[in-house]
Amino acid sequence: MSTTTDSGALRSARPLTITHWREMSRNRTNFGVAIFLPFFMAGVFLGMDKILHSTMGGPGPDFSVMVVPIALCMLLTGTCMTLTAGPIAEYRQYGTLRILGTTPVSRGRFILTHLAVRVLLAIALSVLVGVLGALLGISETAAVWRAVLVALPSSVLFLALGYFIGSIVSSGQAATNIATFTGMFFLFASGVVVPLELLSDSVKRVFDFLPTSYFGDLLFWVTGGVQRYETTLDFVVLTALAIVAVPLAVKTFRWEAANN
């Protein structure tokens, strides 16, 4: 009986997963920005590094070490947070989650497949960034498996934040915008968008108090770059953020909007 139930669950999860993928990718603007903008920005920073090294006589800031961290930060926040917050808000706005209760699809299976699509996409893109970084010679070969290790807790954190934003905002577009700005905050507050050697000591001390800087430090660990903290401490802080974010998302999440 349990075997039959498991096979039935797998059969129903497959079309549901495909549906989630289509729903996530149907908004070509948001999907395109979340997937392709990180690679564009990485290319810009790589180009800046090449131009500076060809025009400057002396040593200058090394922008190549920032290429992989920037791409990973934007991809993880985009796929797991921005592409989650908007759809969740729309589900609640149009009563989709309420109608779900009248179908054979369980709410738990709906949520699990919704999460799985984004986690798998985030891991696949993280591996791609690690491979490209190694092929371009701007990161170590170990960047491939290190990217996966960082992507796993990061996905939990940003998915929780995506559900939290989608639960407190009634409009899908507004939730997408808020998640995008939150992703920009992580990008700048993590220290991956500006070379640390260009920052003053006082600014660096401020970064030490921001938990986001430990997330950024892990992104530099992926490439084998210079770190400011211990890798274990980085993972502890990132995991702690995820532990705080998940209960917050669970507490605020509602299957129905207030007007339903």
Side-chain angles (χ1 to χ4, degrees):
M1 178 63 111
S2 60
T3 303
T4 304
T5 303
D6 292 340
S7 61
L10 289 175
R11 284 196 302 269
S12 62
R14 189 178 297 111
L16 193 57
T17 302
I18 296 174
T19 300
H20 281 309
W21 168 260
R22 290 174 177 171
E23 176 274 328
M24 182 175 62
S25 59
R26 67 181 171 83
N27 190 325
R28 295 184 178 181
T29 300
N30 293 337
F31 186 76
V33 169
I35 301 301
F36 298 110
L37 183 60
F39 292 99
F40 172 77
M41 292 300 298
V44 168
F45 275 81
L46 188 60
M48 288 172 56
D49 184 71
K50 298 295 183 183
I51 293 173
L52 285 176
H53 280 76
S54 62
T55 57
M56 294 180 62
D62 187 6
F63 286 96
S64 65
V65 300
M66 303 162 55
V67 172
V68 171
I70 286 174
L72 285 176
C73 183
M74 296 183 68
L75 284 171
L76 289 171
T77 57
T79 56
C80 293
M81 184 169 58
T82 305
L83 295 181
T84 297
I88 288 298
E90 288 183 352
Y91 289 157
R92 297 173 64 252
Q93 180 182 4
Y94 298 116
T96 304
L97 296 177
R98 174 174 53 83
I99 298 174
L100 182 67
T102 64
T103 69
V105 178
S106 68
R107 289 177 169 180
R109 191 175 303 162
F110 180 88
I111 293 296
L112 287 177
T113 51
H114 187 265
L115 295 173
V117 168
R118 285 148 175 83
V119 171
L120 292 176
L121 178 61
I123 292 176
L125 291 173
S126 298
V127 170
L128 177 60
V129 171
V131 170
L132 291 177
L135 291 177
L136 293 172
I138 57 178
S139 64
E140 299 177 351
T141 306
V144 179
W145 63 265
R146 288 178 178 177
V148 175
L149 285 182
V150 174
L152 291 174
S154 299
S155 298
V156 175
L157 170 62
F158 294 123
L159 281 169
L161 291 177
Y163 268 77
F164 172 72
I165 295 171
S167 298
I168 64 175
V169 180
S170 58
S171 167
Q173 188 57 53
T176 299
N177 294 338
I178 293 173
T180 300
F181 281 111
T182 305
M184 294 299 293
F185 169 77
F186 269 88
L187 183 64
F188 284 93
S190 61
V192 302
V193 78
V194 178
L196 292 177
E197 59 264 27
L198 299 181
L199 302 177
S200 64
D201 291 338
S202 58
V203 175
K204 291 179 182 178
R205 284 194 293 270
V206 173
F207 272 95
D208 289 334
F209 288 100
L210 296 176
T212 52
S213 62
Y214 296 88
F215 167 65
D217 202 56
L218 270 181
L219 299 181
F220 285 110
W221 170 74
V222 169
T223 65
V226 178
Q227 295 177 250
R228 302 186 64 209
Y229 319 108
E230 292 291 334
T231 304
T232 303
L233 178 61
D234 293 334
F235 272 107
V236 168
V237 173
L238 181 61
T239 304
L241 287 176
I243 291 174
V244 171
V246 169
L248 184 64
V250 172
K251 184 176 179 60
T252 57
F253 182 73
R254 297 292 182 274
W255 290 100
E256 300 181 19
N259 59 354
N260 285 332

Tab-separated table of all heavy atoms in Angstrom, residues 85 88-89 92 161-171 175 178 248-249 251-254:
chain	number	residue	atom	x	y	z
A	85	ALA	N	8.756	35.588	-4.006
A	85	ALA	CA	7.881	36.564	-3.353
A	85	ALA	C	6.713	36.972	-4.244
A	85	ALA	O	5.555	37.009	-3.795
A	85	ALA	CB	8.700	37.798	-2.961
A	88	ILE	N	4.020	34.049	-4.757
A	88	ILE	CA	3.294	33.768	-3.519
A	88	ILE	C	2.259	34.857	-3.260
A	88	ILE	O	1.111	34.585	-2.867
A	88	ILE	CB	4.271	33.654	-2.332
A	88	ILE	CG1	5.071	32.354	-2.432
A	88	ILE	CG2	3.525	33.705	-0.998
A	88	ILE	CD1	4.234	31.109	-2.370
A	89	ALA	N	2.649	36.125	-3.462
A	89	ALA	CA	1.707	37.228	-3.276
A	89	ALA	C	0.544	37.126	-4.256
A	89	ALA	O	-0.618	37.385	-3.900
A	89	ALA	CB	2.430	38.567	-3.435
A	92	ARG	N	-1.975	34.377	-3.261
A	92	ARG	CA	-2.870	34.825	-2.192
A	92	ARG	C	-3.817	35.907	-2.708
A	92	ARG	O	-4.990	35.962	-2.331
A	92	ARG	CB	-2.061	35.353	-1.013
A	92	ARG	CG	-1.178	34.275	-0.356
A	92	ARG	CD	-0.252	34.838	0.693
A	92	ARG	NE	-1.001	35.393	1.812
A	92	ARG	CZ	-1.111	36.681	2.064
A	92	ARG	NH1	-0.535	37.576	1.285
A	92	ARG	NH2	-1.803	37.093	3.108
A	161	LEU	N	12.817	34.269	3.096
A	161	LEU	CA	12.573	35.703	2.925
A	161	LEU	C	11.569	35.957	1.802
A	161	LEU	O	10.743	36.866	1.892
A	161	LEU	CB	13.887	36.421	2.620
A	161	LEU	CG	14.902	36.496	3.766
A	161	LEU	CD1	16.187	37.175	3.308
A	161	LEU	CD2	14.313	37.248	4.956
A	162	GLY	N	11.623	35.150	0.753
A	162	GLY	CA	10.664	35.289	-0.333
A	162	GLY	C	9.244	34.997	0.117
A	162	GLY	O	8.306	35.722	-0.224
A	163	TYR	N	9.083	33.941	0.915
A	163	TYR	CA	7.760	33.619	1.456
A	163	TYR	C	7.297	34.695	2.433
A	163	TYR	O	6.104	35.043	2.473
A	163	TYR	CB	7.791	32.260	2.154
A	163	TYR	CG	7.407	31.126	1.242
A	163	TYR	CD1	8.308	30.621	0.305
A	163	TYR	CD2	6.136	30.565	1.284
A	163	TYR	CE1	7.961	29.587	-0.542
A	163	TYR	CE2	5.776	29.535	0.444
A	163	TYR	CZ	6.693	29.047	-0.476
A	163	TYR	OH	6.334	28.027	-1.331
A	164	PHE	N	8.228	35.221	3.212
A	164	PHE	CA	7.867	36.278	4.166
A	164	PHE	C	7.374	37.522	3.435
A	164	PHE	O	6.314	38.079	3.768
A	164	PHE	CB	9.080	36.621	5.035
A	164	PHE	CG	8.876	37.824	5.920
A	164	PHE	CD1	8.041	37.758	7.028
A	164	PHE	CD2	9.507	39.030	5.630
A	164	PHE	CE1	7.840	38.870	7.838
A	164	PHE	CE2	9.317	40.144	6.439
A	164	PHE	CZ	8.482	40.062	7.547
A	165	ILE	N	8.110	37.959	2.409
A	165	ILE	CA	7.707	39.146	1.650
A	165	ILE	C	6.387	38.891	0.928
A	165	ILE	O	5.486	39.736	0.924
A	165	ILE	CB	8.810	39.536	0.652
A	165	ILE	CG1	10.078	39.977	1.395
A	165	ILE	CG2	8.327	40.667	-0.273
A	165	ILE	CD1	11.281	40.185	0.502
A	166	GLY	N	6.261	37.708	0.314
A	166	GLY	CA	5.030	37.385	-0.400
A	166	GLY	C	3.826	37.259	0.510
A	166	GLY	O	2.679	37.389	0.056
A	167	SER	N	4.073	37.026	1.811
A	167	SER	CA	2.964	36.869	2.760
A	167	SER	C	2.478	38.184	3.341
A	167	SER	O	1.326	38.285	3.762
A	167	SER	CB	3.394	35.942	3.906
A	167	SER	OG	3.705	34.652	3.422
A	168	ILE	N	3.338	39.185	3.381
A	168	ILE	CA	2.950	40.455	3.987
A	168	ILE	C	2.586	41.521	2.951
A	168	ILE	O	2.048	42.567	3.314
A	168	ILE	CB	4.058	41.001	4.911
A	168	ILE	CG1	5.317	41.314	4.105
A	168	ILE	CG2	4.368	40.013	6.026
A	168	ILE	CD1	6.420	41.971	4.921
A	169	VAL	N	2.860	41.239	1.678
A	169	VAL	CA	2.547	42.194	0.605
A	169	VAL	C	1.409	41.623	-0.222
A	169	VAL	O	1.426	40.449	-0.605
A	169	VAL	CB	3.786	42.465	-0.279
A	169	VAL	CG1	3.449	43.454	-1.382
A	169	VAL	CG2	4.940	42.982	0.570
A	170	SER	N	0.423	42.440	-0.498
A	170	SER	CA	-0.778	41.951	-1.178
A	170	SER	C	-0.647	41.917	-2.691
A	170	SER	O	-1.374	41.186	-3.361
A	170	SER	CB	-1.986	42.823	-0.797
A	170	SER	OG	-1.741	44.188	-1.138
A	171	SER	N	0.268	42.693	-3.253
A	171	SER	CA	0.425	42.769	-4.704
A	171	SER	C	1.635	41.970	-5.150
A	171	SER	O	2.712	42.067	-4.550
A	171	SER	CB	0.578	44.227	-5.147
A	171	SER	OG	1.030	44.314	-6.489
A	175	ALA	N	5.534	42.880	-4.324
A	175	ALA	CA	6.375	41.901	-3.638
A	175	ALA	C	7.654	41.643	-4.428
A	175	ALA	O	8.742	41.523	-3.843
A	175	ALA	CB	5.606	40.594	-3.446
A	178	ILE	N	9.970	44.674	-3.889
A	178	ILE	CA	10.574	44.674	-2.553
A	178	ILE	C	11.671	43.607	-2.470
A	178	ILE	O	12.746	43.845	-1.902
A	178	ILE	CB	9.505	44.442	-1.482
A	178	ILE	CG1	8.551	45.650	-1.424
A	178	ILE	CG2	10.137	44.207	-0.110
A	178	ILE	CD1	7.363	45.451	-0.508
A	248	LEU	N	10.038	32.793	10.905
A	248	LEU	CA	9.377	34.060	10.585
A	248	LEU	C	8.463	33.904	9.376
A	248	LEU	O	7.330	34.399	9.366
A	248	LEU	CB	10.430	35.133	10.318
A	248	LEU	CG	9.917	36.556	10.053
A	248	LEU	CD1	9.208	37.109	11.285
A	248	LEU	CD2	11.080	37.470	9.663
A	249	ALA	N	8.952	33.181	8.365
A	249	ALA	CA	8.134	32.945	7.177
A	249	ALA	C	6.934	32.056	7.496
A	249	ALA	O	5.823	32.297	7.014
A	249	ALA	CB	8.991	32.309	6.078
A	251	LYS	N	5.418	31.739	10.372
A	251	LYS	CA	4.471	32.469	11.225
A	251	LYS	C	3.626	33.459	10.437
A	251	LYS	O	2.436	33.645	10.722
A	251	LYS	CB	5.241	33.200	12.329
A	251	LYS	CG	4.341	33.922	13.332
A	251	LYS	CD	5.142	34.544	14.449
A	251	LYS	CE	4.255	35.286	15.448
A	251	LYS	NZ	3.262	34.391	16.068
A	252	THR	N	4.220	34.101	9.441
A	252	THR	CA	3.506	35.133	8.673
A	252	THR	C	2.718	34.559	7.493
A	252	THR	O	1.825	35.215	6.977
A	252	THR	CB	4.488	36.198	8.147
A	252	THR	OG1	5.500	35.571	7.352
A	252	THR	CG2	5.140	36.934	9.300
A	253	PHE	N	3.071	33.339	7.066
A	253	PHE	CA	2.428	32.790	5.876
A	253	PHE	C	0.974	32.446	6.137
A	253	PHE	O	0.640	31.832	7.143
A	253	PHE	CB	3.179	31.541	5.397
A	253	PHE	CG	2.603	30.947	4.138
A	253	PHE	CD1	2.780	31.559	2.927
A	253	PHE	CD2	1.867	29.769	4.188
A	253	PHE	CE1	2.243	31.019	1.761
A	253	PHE	CE2	1.335	29.216	3.049
A	253	PHE	CZ	1.533	29.845	1.834
A	254	ARG	N	0.112	32.858	5.230
A	254	ARG	CA	-1.311	32.528	5.275
A	254	ARG	C	-1.748	32.007	3.911
A	254	ARG	O	-1.301	32.500	2.885
A	254	ARG	CB	-2.145	33.773	5.635
A	254	ARG	CG	-1.853	34.335	7.018
A	254	ARG	CD	-2.325	33.402	8.119
A	254	ARG	NE	-2.090	33.949	9.457
A	254	ARG	CZ	-0.956	33.816	10.134
A	254	ARG	NH1	0.053	33.135	9.611
A	254	ARG	NH2	-0.829	34.348	11.327
